[in-house]
Amino acid sequence: DQQVKQNSPSLSVQEGRISILNCDYTNSMFDYFLWYKKYPAEGPTFLISISSIKDKNEDGRFTVFLNKSAKHLSLHIVPSQPGDSAVYFCAARVTSGTYKYIFGTGTRLKVLA
Amino acid sequence: EAGVAQSPRYKIIEKRQSVAFWCNPISGHATLYWYQQILGQGPKLLIQFQNNGVVDDSQLPKDRFSAERLKGVDSTLKIQPAKLEDSAVYLCASSPNLGVAFFGQGTRLTVV
């Protein structure tokens, strides 16, 4: 039962353009959503998060949008840079007694110079 | 601030052998997680500790996997005996209460 889904395994974008990574979820109990970036041979690095009471959070070039009615969130990177090339994981937190993070399968972003 | 430390970085063992991984979380973080990431998949939670107590081990294969967190700080994850399908990256993460989880670099296990 995949509660957090990233349906695009890969994405290629030209440098300077916008990258949009998508994530869908099924559990209405998720109250907090995060994006992690992962380079090869490293652990995931926290990038940006959003609470379920908000619909947008922005940090520099990174913006996360949350559409609760559609159970969908997206990460926008503008402008995209070659250093952004990595695997991006969407994660959702269940806050029912414990704080448990459930991850999607990841999207590999390649930013072309 | 020091991050989450894990060792070893890489391990190759034969099936049916035993292996142990070590994790030192960020100082002061009460919650510690062990995740398994199989190639091409997202991290899957194996076990979650709050201080030195287990709060979720529902996806831990308890017939072969065990984990402990002595004194609520360091943690070890053990596999005994290992199977080929245990080949994966084992990630340790920690978080303060209600906070974001921060990950270590992981241990890549290859079972041959």
Side-chain angles (χ1 to χ4, degrees), chain B residues 58-80:
Chain B
S58 57
Q59 296 197 83
L60 186 74
K62 298 180 187 64
D63 58 334
R64 298 183 300 105
F65 286 65
S66 64
E68 60 182 6
R69 189 182 184 194
L70 298 176
K71 300 180 182 178
V73 183
D74 292 7
S75 177
T76 56
L77 176 70
K78 297 179 182 177
I79 308 175
Q80 179 180 11

mmCIF file of all heavy atoms in Angstrom, chain B residues 58-80:
data_model
loop_
_atom_site.group_PDB
_atom_site.id
_atom_site.type_symbol
_atom_site.label_atom_id
_atom_site.label_comp_id
_atom_site.label_asym_id
_atom_site.label_seq_id
_atom_site.Cartn_x
_atom_site.Cartn_y
_atom_site.Cartn_z
ATOM 1 N N SER B 58 6.699 -2.041 13.248
ATOM 2 C CA SER B 58 5.734 -2.851 12.521
ATOM 3 C C SER B 58 6.282 -3.428 11.217
ATOM 4 O O SER B 58 5.790 -4.447 10.735
ATOM 5 C CB SER B 58 4.466 -2.029 12.244
ATOM 6 O OG SER B 58 4.792 -0.853 11.524
ATOM 7 N N GLN B 59 7.294 -2.801 10.622
ATOM 8 C CA GLN B 59 7.835 -3.299 9.363
ATOM 9 C C GLN B 59 9.223 -3.913 9.532
ATOM 10 O O GLN B 59 9.920 -4.145 8.537
ATOM 11 C CB GLN B 59 7.868 -2.165 8.328
ATOM 12 C CG GLN B 59 6.474 -1.656 7.984
ATOM 13 C CD GLN B 59 6.466 -0.846 6.706
ATOM 14 O OE1 GLN B 59 6.409 -1.387 5.612
ATOM 15 N NE2 GLN B 59 6.532 0.476 6.839
ATOM 16 N N LEU B 60 9.606 -4.182 10.742
ATOM 17 C CA LEU B 60 10.897 -4.817 10.997
ATOM 18 C C LEU B 60 10.725 -6.330 10.915
ATOM 19 O O LEU B 60 9.918 -6.898 11.657
ATOM 20 C CB LEU B 60 11.410 -4.418 12.377
ATOM 21 C CG LEU B 60 12.814 -4.872 12.743
ATOM 22 C CD1 LEU B 60 13.854 -4.048 12.002
ATOM 23 C CD2 LEU B 60 13.040 -4.775 14.257
ATOM 24 N N PRO B 61 11.487 -7.012 10.048
ATOM 25 C CA PRO B 61 11.405 -8.493 9.990
ATOM 26 C C PRO B 61 12.060 -9.079 11.239
ATOM 27 O O PRO B 61 13.259 -9.365 11.259
ATOM 28 C CB PRO B 61 12.180 -8.839 8.718
ATOM 29 C CG PRO B 61 12.361 -7.542 7.975
ATOM 30 C CD PRO B 61 12.375 -6.464 9.015
ATOM 31 N N LYS B 62 11.266 -9.276 12.244
ATOM 32 C CA LYS B 62 11.810 -9.586 13.574
ATOM 33 C C LYS B 62 12.446 -10.965 13.681
ATOM 34 O O LYS B 62 13.149 -11.248 14.651
ATOM 35 C CB LYS B 62 10.707 -9.433 14.620
ATOM 36 C CG LYS B 62 10.149 -8.018 14.707
ATOM 37 C CD LYS B 62 9.055 -7.926 15.747
ATOM 38 C CE LYS B 62 8.385 -6.570 15.722
ATOM 39 N NZ LYS B 62 7.670 -6.298 14.456
ATOM 40 N N ASP B 63 12.226 -11.814 12.677
ATOM 41 C CA ASP B 63 12.876 -13.128 12.731
ATOM 42 C C ASP B 63 14.371 -13.018 12.438
ATOM 43 O O ASP B 63 15.146 -13.900 12.817
ATOM 44 C CB ASP B 63 12.211 -14.085 11.735
ATOM 45 C CG ASP B 63 12.244 -13.569 10.312
ATOM 46 O OD1 ASP B 63 12.304 -12.327 10.129
ATOM 47 O OD2 ASP B 63 12.206 -14.389 9.379
ATOM 48 N N ARG B 64 14.781 -11.898 11.802
ATOM 49 C CA ARG B 64 16.200 -11.788 11.466
ATOM 50 C C ARG B 64 16.797 -10.421 11.819
ATOM 51 O O ARG B 64 18.000 -10.277 11.903
ATOM 52 C CB ARG B 64 16.404 -12.033 9.964
ATOM 53 C CG ARG B 64 15.987 -13.420 9.522
ATOM 54 C CD ARG B 64 16.275 -13.667 8.049
ATOM 55 N NE ARG B 64 15.569 -12.725 7.184
ATOM 56 C CZ ARG B 64 16.148 -11.711 6.572
ATOM 57 N NH1 ARG B 64 17.434 -11.492 6.717
ATOM 58 N NH2 ARG B 64 15.441 -10.917 5.788
ATOM 59 N N PHE B 65 15.956 -9.413 11.981
ATOM 60 C CA PHE B 65 16.434 -8.068 12.291
ATOM 61 C C PHE B 65 16.168 -7.752 13.765
ATOM 62 O O PHE B 65 15.118 -8.095 14.305
ATOM 63 C CB PHE B 65 15.691 -7.018 11.444
ATOM 64 C CG PHE B 65 16.097 -6.961 10.004
ATOM 65 C CD1 PHE B 65 15.860 -8.029 9.146
ATOM 66 C CD2 PHE B 65 16.697 -5.827 9.478
ATOM 67 C CE1 PHE B 65 16.219 -7.969 7.804
ATOM 68 C CE2 PHE B 65 17.043 -5.755 8.135
ATOM 69 C CZ PHE B 65 16.805 -6.829 7.308
ATOM 70 N N SER B 66 17.142 -7.062 14.354
ATOM 71 C CA SER B 66 16.942 -6.558 15.713
ATOM 72 C C SER B 66 17.630 -5.210 15.832
ATOM 73 O O SER B 66 18.571 -4.909 15.095
ATOM 74 C CB SER B 66 17.490 -7.530 16.756
ATOM 75 O OG SER B 66 18.899 -7.652 16.618
ATOM 76 N N ALA B 67 17.147 -4.398 16.743
ATOM 77 C CA ALA B 67 17.748 -3.077 16.947
ATOM 78 C C ALA B 67 17.609 -2.697 18.405
ATOM 79 O O ALA B 67 16.662 -3.122 19.089
ATOM 80 C CB ALA B 67 17.087 -2.028 16.060
ATOM 81 N N GLU B 68 18.569 -1.922 18.868
ATOM 82 C CA GLU B 68 18.492 -1.417 20.231
ATOM 83 C C GLU B 68 19.063 -0.009 20.270
ATOM 84 O O GLU B 68 19.855 0.390 19.417
ATOM 85 C CB GLU B 68 19.223 -2.339 21.206
ATOM 86 C CG GLU B 68 20.698 -2.522 20.910
ATOM 87 C CD GLU B 68 21.354 -3.484 21.894
ATOM 88 O OE1 GLU B 68 20.661 -4.094 22.726
ATOM 89 O OE2 GLU B 68 22.588 -3.608 21.831
ATOM 90 N N ARG B 69 18.644 0.704 21.278
ATOM 91 C CA ARG B 69 19.134 2.062 21.476
ATOM 92 C C ARG B 69 19.416 2.208 22.969
ATOM 93 O O ARG B 69 18.557 2.587 23.756
ATOM 94 C CB ARG B 69 18.120 3.097 21.018
ATOM 95 C CG ARG B 69 18.700 4.504 21.011
ATOM 96 C CD ARG B 69 17.696 5.561 20.616
ATOM 97 N NE ARG B 69 18.326 6.872 20.540
ATOM 98 C CZ ARG B 69 17.664 8.011 20.484
ATOM 99 N NH1 ARG B 69 16.337 8.020 20.479
ATOM 100 N NH2 ARG B 69 18.307 9.157 20.410
ATOM 101 N N LEU B 70 20.651 1.910 23.302
ATOM 102 C CA LEU B 70 21.038 1.926 24.702
ATOM 103 C C LEU B 70 21.162 3.358 25.200
ATOM 104 O O LEU B 70 21.713 4.217 24.512
ATOM 105 C CB LEU B 70 22.369 1.189 24.873
ATOM 106 C CG LEU B 70 22.324 -0.301 24.483
ATOM 107 C CD1 LEU B 70 23.706 -0.904 24.583
ATOM 108 C CD2 LEU B 70 21.333 -1.049 25.351
ATOM 109 N N LYS B 71 20.618 3.602 26.372
ATOM 110 C CA LYS B 71 20.727 4.899 27.044
ATOM 111 C C LYS B 71 20.127 6.039 26.221
ATOM 112 O O LYS B 71 20.450 7.208 26.444
ATOM 113 C CB LYS B 71 22.182 5.222 27.398
ATOM 114 C CG LYS B 71 22.818 4.201 28.326
ATOM 115 C CD LYS B 71 24.258 4.555 28.658
ATOM 116 C CE LYS B 71 24.881 3.498 29.554
ATOM 117 N NZ LYS B 71 26.298 3.780 29.860
ATOM 118 N N GLY B 72 19.319 5.684 25.228
ATOM 119 C CA GLY B 72 18.635 6.712 24.462
ATOM 120 C C GLY B 72 19.521 7.538 23.564
ATOM 121 O O GLY B 72 19.128 8.627 23.134
ATOM 122 N N VAL B 73 20.717 7.023 23.240
ATOM 123 C CA VAL B 73 21.622 7.792 22.377
ATOM 124 C C VAL B 73 21.950 6.958 21.143
ATOM 125 O O VAL B 73 21.164 6.924 20.188
ATOM 126 C CB VAL B 73 22.895 8.219 23.133
ATOM 127 C CG1 VAL B 73 23.786 9.074 22.247
ATOM 128 C CG2 VAL B 73 22.524 8.993 24.393
ATOM 129 N N ASP B 74 23.107 6.257 21.159
ATOM 130 C CA ASP B 74 23.525 5.442 20.014
ATOM 131 C C ASP B 74 22.563 4.286 19.790
ATOM 132 O O ASP B 74 21.879 3.824 20.710
ATOM 133 C CB ASP B 74 24.921 4.874 20.257
ATOM 134 C CG ASP B 74 25.988 5.938 20.268
ATOM 135 O OD1 ASP B 74 25.632 7.129 20.215
ATOM 136 O OD2 ASP B 74 27.178 5.577 20.327
ATOM 137 N N SER B 75 22.593 3.796 18.544
ATOM 138 C CA SER B 75 21.746 2.659 18.209
ATOM 139 C C SER B 75 22.509 1.696 17.324
ATOM 140 O O SER B 75 23.401 2.100 16.561
ATOM 141 C CB SER B 75 20.483 3.137 17.485
ATOM 142 O OG SER B 75 19.666 2.042 17.094
ATOM 143 N N THR B 76 22.179 0.413 17.429
ATOM 144 C CA THR B 76 22.706 -0.592 16.517
ATOM 145 C C THR B 76 21.551 -1.356 15.887
ATOM 146 O O THR B 76 20.519 -1.601 16.527
ATOM 147 C CB THR B 76 23.629 -1.587 17.228
ATOM 148 O OG1 THR B 76 22.905 -2.180 18.311
ATOM 149 C CG2 THR B 76 24.873 -0.924 17.738
ATOM 150 N N LEU B 77 21.733 -1.698 14.627
ATOM 151 C CA LEU B 77 20.786 -2.516 13.881
ATOM 152 C C LEU B 77 21.531 -3.776 13.454
ATOM 153 O O LEU B 77 22.630 -3.681 12.904
ATOM 154 C CB LEU B 77 20.273 -1.763 12.651
ATOM 155 C CG LEU B 77 19.345 -2.531 11.708
ATOM 156 C CD1 LEU B 77 17.990 -2.786 12.357
ATOM 157 C CD2 LEU B 77 19.163 -1.754 10.395
ATOM 158 N N LYS B 78 20.960 -4.937 13.727
ATOM 159 C CA LYS B 78 21.615 -6.197 13.413
ATOM 160 C C LYS B 78 20.749 -7.039 12.497
ATOM 161 O O LYS B 78 19.514 -7.051 12.621
ATOM 162 C CB LYS B 78 21.916 -6.976 14.692
ATOM 163 C CG LYS B 78 22.888 -6.287 15.628
ATOM 164 C CD LYS B 78 23.128 -7.111 16.891
ATOM 165 C CE LYS B 78 24.073 -6.383 17.837
ATOM 166 N NZ LYS B 78 24.275 -7.122 19.106
ATOM 167 N N ILE B 79 21.420 -7.751 11.611
ATOM 168 C CA ILE B 79 20.740 -8.705 10.736
ATOM 169 C C ILE B 79 21.415 -10.053 10.941
ATOM 170 O O ILE B 79 22.640 -10.176 10.819
ATOM 171 C CB ILE B 79 20.826 -8.298 9.253
ATOM 172 C CG1 ILE B 79 20.358 -6.864 9.049
ATOM 173 C CG2 ILE B 79 19.979 -9.254 8.410
ATOM 174 C CD1 ILE B 79 20.538 -6.363 7.603
ATOM 175 N N GLN B 80 20.593 -11.059 11.276
ATOM 176 C CA GLN B 80 21.156 -12.383 11.537
ATOM 177 C C GLN B 80 20.095 -13.451 11.348
ATOM 178 O O GLN B 80 19.134 -13.486 12.143
ATOM 179 C CB GLN B 80 21.722 -12.446 12.966
ATOM 180 C CG GLN B 80 22.306 -13.793 13.345
ATOM 181 C CD GLN B 80 22.844 -13.818 14.762
ATOM 182 O OE1 GLN B 80 22.617 -12.892 15.547
ATOM 183 N NE2 GLN B 80 23.538 -14.880 15.114
#
